Amino acid sequence: MELFRSHVLICGGTGCTSSGSAQLLARFEKLLADNQLEKEIKLVHTGCFGLCEAGPVVIVYPEGAFYSRVKVEDVDEIVNEHLIKGRIVQRLLHHGSVEEDGGIKALDDVDFYKKQKRIALRNCGVINPENIDEYIAFDGYKALAKALTEMTREEVIDTIKKSGLRGRGGGGFSTGLKWEFAYKSQNEQKYVCCNADEGDPGAFMDRSVLEGDPHVVLESMAIAGYAIGANQGYIYVRAEYPIAVERLQIAIGQAREYGLLGKNIFGTDFSFDVDIRLGAGAFVCGEETALMASIEGGRGEPRPRPPFPAVKGLFGKPTILNNVETYANVAQIILKGADWFASMGTEKSKGTKVFALGGKINNTGLVEVPMGTTLREIIYDIGGGIPNGKKFKAVQTGGPSGGCLPMSLIDTPVDYDSLIAAGSMMGSGGMIVMDEDNCMVDIARFFLDFTVDESCGKCTPCRIGTRRMLEILNRICEGKGEDGDIERLENLAQNIKATALCGLGQTAPNPVLSTIKQFRHEYEAHIYDKHCPAGVCKKLLNYVIDPEKCRGCTLCARVCPTGSISGKVKEPHVIDSRKCIKCGACMEKCKFGAISKK
């Protein structure tokens, strides 16, 4: 076995790749070759480290130097100073990774990671996802071996049930119970499916697991296959995830080569294989029956249930479907036991949850926390709070299916029941933070616009009802709101929730209902005062110049595309609101803060 004096971990997740991490890797490879250091220093192209805001990220061990926002031109300095001379490049260190005395913090002591507990993400940013030997070195496929050689199918299912693992795709249904239903269904052919068709705006949890640790999904699907008596698995992944798809293909090929997929795994009579099916990016295919229809080659539309997929699913056979994050927990539960997993979280929400933290937050990225962690801890202790000194206004959890929670609910524990009680939901794990500059009516319109576009159109409540709601929201944002519009929205929302065929339609009104409940005054301001308090809705805006602050520099007049600003040099200017198109160019250019939105 080769021993290296240093390991250089380079993030290869989508975020860092889009910022040039592949070029960093190429430069490192060249410089190490030029200096004949290939046998002394190991380069590891990993998955996502989580702290996307700091990317591209490079971590050098054994020192644990956390370099952030690394550019190609910085690689020479890291190699020459750190790897050759042993001097850490201080200017490139992530600001949160340095002790007060200038020392290097261990990664677990960095504020972003301090309150996290990584189970689903345990190998992301640690191993090379394209090397099965590295996965095996971190106890990979040990759980599958244990299940096949030491446990009965009933014992596997019982372990998952006792662990309290619930579906991480949004439904929150007991994973073990779902497996038990499929196990009890009598049929010669059964299937195991993985939902990797992550479609929530701002969500990238499943993508990051697939990019950083694809073998954990394969291993756990094989365990599921053994438990229910299936010999074939399908991973339904959106085609817009090219890195995830490529790494899955590599992982499947390696697992087959090692005999970990295919016939007679670990010398037993159990056989199991996995194939990939690409999705075209339809949000509705996150619903299990629509996803299975798509795998079968049909249009991605849901069907009424019962019968449930555990009885009649893919190709009419008993099928279980779990999402990527759910599977990412399974191998560790089998390896460490149900009690270990159940010791984390709350009474009814066990384990951890991965969130994609985005929006108006300092530390955007991927976080995994024990269930029961509060929104405040995630947003301020892990996320670093709101940028530019702005005030926190709301957080959207659960994506287009969830709701917006205000400052008064920021101490809500993050678990299935608490979020529902607060008027939102867990969803698959999107968490979008908003500040004082966000208009909540516009936010509701944004999410509803998304679900209107993504509706498959099969059922009338979703196809037509959500469109009527969107029309009302558009009118309100354009200053054409009428008395009774709020009540019309609420009435439509309740009818759609009660009658839509699948989860997309049933949850589509949630952002509207939650914003009406928590921010009704903003709706009323739009409707009755024809005013957008956040200054977002253009049709309700007026730009004005304060004559006491204006210096008559003419900058605003020169950038105005419609010539709506007039005035003499060194004298206060004025804006003709009839010509103004509310583009905001004047406000951006003004150096004296004389222009404001009213």
Side-chain angles (χ1 to χ4, degrees):
M1 186 175 83
E2 290 182 288
L3 295 176
F4 299 91
R5 65 175 173 86
S6 291
H7 284 72
V8 179
L9 277 58
I10 303 167
C11 178
T14 292
C16 286
T17 297
S18 67
S19 300
S21 70
Q23 288 79 12
L24 299 183
L25 178 65
R27 186 61 182 165
F28 269 111
E29 289 173 337
K30 183 180 186 308
L31 291 177
L32 293 186
D34 290 347
N35 289 279
Q36 298 181 334
L37 293 172
E38 306 104 306
K39 293 185 178 181
E40 293 184 46
I41 296 164
K42 173 78 169 177
L43 293 178
V44 184
H45 203 204
T46 73
C48 178
F49 285 99
L51 189 51
C52 302
E53 176 272 335
V57 171
V58 174
I59 300 182
V60 180
Y61 288 104
E63 298 86 354
F66 188 126
Y67 295 126
S68 63
R69 297 187 184 86
V70 181
K71 300 181 177 63
V72 174
E73 52 267 31
D74 297 325
V75 175
D76 294 60
E77 188 175 357
I78 293 173
V79 171
N80 293 326
E81 289 296 312
H82 189 157
L83 299 180
I84 294 177
K85 298 177 183 177
R87 297 193 294 227
I88 291 173
V89 184
Q90 296 290 331
R91 70 175 187 86
L92 294 175
L93 289 175
H94 177 59
H95 61 86
S97 68
V98 184
E99 300 277 11
E100 290 184 8
D101 62 2
I104 304 295
K105 289 183 180 179
L107 200 62
D108 288 344
D109 291 330
V110 174
D111 287 343
F112 181 77
Y113 298 102
K114 197 181 293 182
K115 289 195 172 183
Q116 293 194 48
K117 175 71 176 176
R118 292 162 76 89
I119 298 174
L121 301 178
R122 72 186 188 96
N123 287 333
C124 294
V126 176
I127 65 171
N128 178 353
E130 298 181 16
N131 187 335
I132 190 173
D133 292 329
E134 293 200 15
Y135 179 70
I136 290 172
F138 282 80
D139 294 333
Y141 291 103
K142 210 170 175 181
L144 178 59
K146 179 181 177 181
L148 295 185
T149 62
E150 300 176 23
M151 302 173 73
T152 64
R153 293 160 62 187
E154 295 88 346
E155 286 172 338
V156 171
I157 292 171
D158 194 49
T159 299
I160 300 300
K161 282 175 66 178
K162 286 181 177 177
S163 74
L165 177 65
R166 294 170 64 174
R168 299 304 197 241
F173 188 76
S174 166
T175 302
L177 201 55
K178 181 184 286 190
W179 289 16
E180 187 175 57
F181 291 153
Y183 163 69
K184 290 181 177 178
S185 293
Q186 298 301 312
N187 203 294
E188 291 182 2
Q189 181 64 58
K190 298 179 183 180
Y191 295 103
V192 171
C193 290
C194 174
N195 179 3
D197 193 55
E198 189 170 53
D200 292 16
F204 51 96
M205 302 77 61
D206 293 347
R207 184 193 75 199
S208 296
V209 172
L210 293 176
E211 290 175 353
D213 196 15
H215 283 285
V216 75
V217 177
L218 302 183
E219 179 179 14
S220 297
M221 287 180 70
I223 293 169
Y226 170 69
I228 73 165
N231 61 8
Q232 179 64 48
Y234 290 99
I235 300 177
Y236 187 82
V237 57
R238 59 178 42 218
E240 292 97 325
Y241 286 177
I243 297 175
V245 171
E246 181 184 4
R247 289 179 182 166
L248 269 176
Q249 290 170 335
I250 291 170
I252 290 171
Q254 291 174 340
R256 286 172 179 163
E257 183 183 345
Y258 276 50
L260 298 167
L261 286 178
K263 302 289 185 183
N264 305 117
I265 299 171
F266 287 113
T268 68
D269 61 359
F270 174 66
S271 299
F272 187 81
D273 207 352
V274 174
D275 288 309
I276 297 172
R277 292 292 182 267
L278 299 182
F283 182 62
V284 72
C285 285
E287 198 279 336
E288 58 183 4
T289 60
L291 183 150
M292 291 174 198
S294 184
I295 290 178
E296 292 168 355
R299 182 184 172 112
E301 292 181 335
R303 61 164 174 78
R305 298 173 301 174
F308 291 95
V311 176
K312 186 179 179 182
L314 188 63
F315 303 115
K317 306 297 183 182
T319 306
I320 58 168
L321 172 71
N322 294 112
N323 86 322
V324 170
E325 187 187 340
T326 308
Y327 283 122
N329 286 285
V330 167
Q332 287 296 292
I333 292 171
I334 296 298
L335 209 53
K336 298 182 178 180
D339 292 343
W340 165 79
F341 189 80
S343 68
M344 294 173 279
T346 65
E347 183 183 351
K348 294 182 179 179
S349 300
K350 303 298 186 182
T352 61
K353 182 70 188 79
V354 180
F355 290 97
L357 190 59
K360 305 290 186 67
I361 191 84
N362 280 310
N363 296 334
T364 56
L366 204 64
V367 305
E368 183 174 3
V369 294
M371 292 280 195
T373 304
T374 65
L375 289 169
R376 184 188 297 274
E377 289 176 287
I378 295 172
I379 293 167
Y380 285 96
D381 297 345
I382 297 173
I386 317 302
N388 307 315
K390 297 285 186 176
K391 293 179 181 177
F392 169 84
K393 186 171 190 177
V395 58
Q396 170 86 1
T397 69
S401 305
C404 296
L405 303 180
M407 185 66 190
S408 60
L409 295 174
I410 199 169
D411 290 308
T412 300
V414 172
D415 60 65
Y416 292 101
D417 300 323
S418 297
L419 288 177
I420 289 173
S424 187
M425 63 185 293
M426 183 83 72
S428 60
M431 189 175 285
I432 309 297
V433 179
M434 288 158 269
D435 69 9
E436 58 194 272
D437 293 334
N438 286 108
C439 168
M440 302 314 294
V441 183
D442 184 62
I443 289 293
R445 178 173 67 165
F446 166 79
F447 282 111
L448 194 62
D449 183 58
F450 174 83
T451 49
V452 165
D453 279 348
E454 294 295 335
S455 171
C456 72
K458 185 172 182 177
C459 72
T460 303
C462 183
R463 182 181 70 249
I464 297 176
T466 56
R467 192 168 292 277
R468 295 293 87 85
M469 288 184 70
L470 182 60
E471 289 169 356
I472 295 172
L473 286 172
N474 282 331
R475 280 198 293 101
I476 293 173
C477 290
E478 290 171 1
K480 300 175 184 176
E482 303 170 355
D483 186 29
D485 274 348
I486 297 176
E487 290 72 24
R488 291 185 191 97
L489 284 170
E490 290 175 322
N491 186 47
L492 275 167
Q494 295 300 341
N495 279 306
I496 294 167
K497 285 175 72 68
T499 57
L501 177 60
C502 81
L504 186 150
Q506 292 162 9
T507 59
N510 285 352
V512 181
L513 289 173
S514 69
T515 50
I516 289 175
K517 180 181 178 181
Q518 304 295 348
F519 301 94
R520 192 182 187 96
H521 61 281
E522 289 200 25
Y523 281 84
E524 292 171 344
H526 282 70
I527 294 168
Y528 301 115
D529 303 332
K530 307 302 178 189
H531 171 62
C532 175
V536 170
C537 300
K538 286 188 176 183
K539 295 290 180 69
L540 299 177
L541 283 184
N542 278 311
Y543 284 86
V544 295
I545 298 176
D546 185 340
E548 294 185 6
K549 293 183 179 179
C550 181
R551 299 290 185 268
C553 69
T554 75
L555 265 179
C556 58
R558 280 182 275 165
V559 298
C560 179
T562 59
S564 61
I565 301 178
S566 59
K568 296 180 180 179
V569 178
K570 296 185 180 180
E571 292 184 8
H573 285 44
V574 293
I575 299 175
D576 186 342
S577 59
R578 294 169 299 177
K579 295 181 181 179
C580 178
I581 60 171
K582 286 93 170 177
C583 66
C586 56
M587 189 172 173
E588 290 177 14
K589 277 292 181 181
C590 182
K591 297 179 179 179
F592 307 103
I595 303 176
S596 60
K597 293 184 285 188
K598 298 289 186 182

